[in-house]
């Protein structure tokens, strides 16, 4: 047996062993990788999609299901190969900045039926390119940053939230890839315009940003007029107060008795003359 044959006889089984371990790691994720209260399963490939042979064909990511687990925050230890993440029907209050950073395979995120009130400006930073569906329906969101959805290409569901319809929401919905569909489902719980309250966001054709600008300009004008009135009033009061003080001082001077002239002083004056 040549040295080459001997090397091949030892290398091939080792390669097969390594490949088997890789396949096992991909097909059966470790239980320690799965967050507490969640179920992690390897995603199955679509029969119509050919991914090719070998371990690369199994890189579909994990389906992580945490539905109804009484979570109050997003698990910090999510597997990095999570592709589908179900966090619905929990008690999550907020989605902080960079909550899903590192989940480069994430395609679907379900946060519906929670108590989410706030979304960080960069809450979905790092998953903009891969995320296809984002469900934020049935929460307590009233307002978001104008750029919260601007980089997402996903279909976003935001209905059944107590939205406050203003310029910021108009900008946020306008930045969505599928903004018309999302805006069509938004009902204004409150609004800068009373005519929008209780109605669909698209029901009233008004530019809320232009309205907010006019309102701000009017408020600034009223504030400036108030300051101007206050300054004028102070000047008038100051002048009147000084006039009154001067009048009192003059009356005081007039009320002082004049000094009588002594006879010697009269004689001295006569002599000098």
């Amino acid at each position: 047996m040549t040295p080459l044959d001997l090397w091949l006889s030892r290398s091939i089984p080792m390669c097969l062993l390594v490949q088997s371990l890789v396949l096992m790691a991909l097909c059966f994720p470790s239980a320690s990788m799965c967050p507490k209260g969640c179920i992690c399963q390897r995603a199955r490939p679509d029969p119509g999609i050919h991914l090719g042979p070998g371990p690369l064909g199994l890189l579909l990511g994990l389906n992580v299901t945490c539905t109804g687990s009484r979570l109050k925050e997003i698990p910090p230890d999510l597997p990095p190969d999570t592709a589908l993440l179900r966090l619905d029907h929990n008690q999550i209050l907020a989605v902080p900045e960079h909550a899903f950073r590192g989940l480069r395979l994430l395609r679907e995120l379900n946060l519906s039926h929670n108590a989410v009130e706030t979304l960080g400006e960069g809450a979905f930073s790092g998953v903009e390119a891969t995320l296809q569906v984002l469900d934020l329906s049935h929460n307590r969101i009233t307002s978001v940053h104008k750029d919260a959805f601007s980089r997402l290409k996903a279909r976003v569901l935001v209905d059944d939230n107590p939205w406050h319809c203003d310029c910021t929401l108009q900008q946020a919905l306008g930045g969505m890839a599928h903004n018309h569909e999302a805006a069509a489902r938004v009902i204004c719980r409150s609004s800068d315009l009373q005519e929008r309250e209780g109605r669909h966001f698209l029901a009233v054709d008004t530019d809320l940003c232009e309205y907010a600008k006019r309102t701000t300009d009017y408020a600034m004008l009223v504030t400036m007029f108030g300051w101007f009135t206050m300054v004028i009033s102070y000047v008038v009061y100051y002048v009147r107060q000084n006039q009154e003080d001067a009048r009192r001082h003059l009356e005081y001077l007039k009320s002082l008795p004049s000094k009588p002239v002594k006879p010697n002083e009269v004689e001295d004056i006569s002599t000098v003359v």
Side-chain angles (χ1 to χ4, degrees):
M1 180 179 295
T2 64
L4 179 60
D5 293 336
L6 182 61
W7 181 82
L8 289 174
S9 64
R10 294 179 179 177
S11 300
I12 291 177
M14 183 62 67
C15 292
L16 292 175
L17 177 61
V18 171
Q19 186 177 15
S20 299
L21 292 174
V22 170
L23 289 173
M24 289 178 65
L26 291 171
C27 294
F28 307 101
S30 171
S32 62
M33 295 173 57
C34 199
K36 183 179 180 181
C38 304
I39 300 174
C40 300
Q41 295 177 331
R42 183 63 56 185
R44 295 181 178 276
D46 190 324
I49 300 178
H50 177 67
L51 297 175
L56 293 178
L58 296 172
L59 291 177
L60 298 173
L62 287 175
N63 290 346
V64 180
T65 302
C66 309
T67 302
S69 298
R70 299 182 180 179
L71 300 177
K72 294 185 178 181
E73 61 181 14
I74 296 172
D77 53 348
L78 291 167
D81 55 344
T82 299
L84 187 152
L85 179 57
R86 297 184 61 90
L87 295 168
D88 54 298
H89 292 87
N90 282 290
Q91 303 167 15
I92 298 173
L93 298 174
V95 183
E97 299 281 335
H98 311 298
F100 307 101
R101 175 177 287 181
L103 305 185
R104 301 186 180 277
L105 299 179
L106 189 63
R107 298 191 302 271
E108 183 175 340
L109 174 59
N110 190 343
L111 281 162
S112 65
H113 296 275
N114 274 282
V116 176
E117 296 180 353
T118 58
L119 295 176
E121 178 184 352
F124 308 106
S125 176
V127 298
E128 302 97 329
T130 59
L131 196 63
Q132 299 173 7
V133 179
L134 171 61
D135 192 347
L136 289 167
S137 62
H138 300 277
N139 277 285
R140 301 176 184 173
I141 307 171
T142 58
S143 182
V144 294
H145 190 275
K146 65 183 182 67
D147 297 324
F149 309 118
S150 61
R151 297 182 181 180
L152 290 177
K153 301 177 182 178
R155 176 172 172 259
V156 184
L157 305 177
V158 292
D159 48 299
D160 288 302
N161 280 282
W163 290 108
H164 176 73
C165 295
D166 58 2
C167 176
T168 302
L169 181 61
Q170 179 175 304
Q171 292 174 323
L173 294 178
M176 290 182 180
H178 305 279
N179 58 76
H180 186 80
E181 178 186 0
R185 299 187 177 198
V186 171
I187 297 179
C188 303
R189 176 70 63 84
S190 60
S191 176
D192 291 346
L193 290 174
Q194 291 186 352
E195 59 199 54
R196 277 184 180 263
E197 293 182 0
R199 303 179 64 181
H200 284 83
F201 182 77
L202 297 179
V204 181
D205 187 16
T206 304
D207 189 339
L208 290 174
C209 293
E210 184 63 28
Y211 174 80
K213 183 177 181 299
R214 290 200 305 268
T215 303
T216 303
D217 292 344
Y218 177 76
M220 290 181 62
L221 181 62
V222 170
T223 302
M224 291 176 63
F225 179 76
W227 277 102
F228 180 75
T229 303
M230 185 174 66
V231 170
I232 294 298
S233 300
Y234 177 78
V235 171
V236 171
Y237 170 79
Y238 180 79
V239 170
R240 287 182 177 177
Q241 187 69 24
N242 283 352
Q243 288 178 343
E244 183 67 19
D245 291 343
R247 186 184 64 81
R248 290 176 181 175
H249 185 67
L250 183 60
E251 290 179 353
Y252 171 75
L253 292 177
K254 288 180 179 180
S255 65
L256 292 176
S258 57
K259 184 178 179 181
V261 180
K262 297 179 179 179
N264 323 350
E265 294 178 354
V266 174
E267 293 178 0
D268 293 341
I269 293 174
S270 301
T271 304
V272 171
V273 173

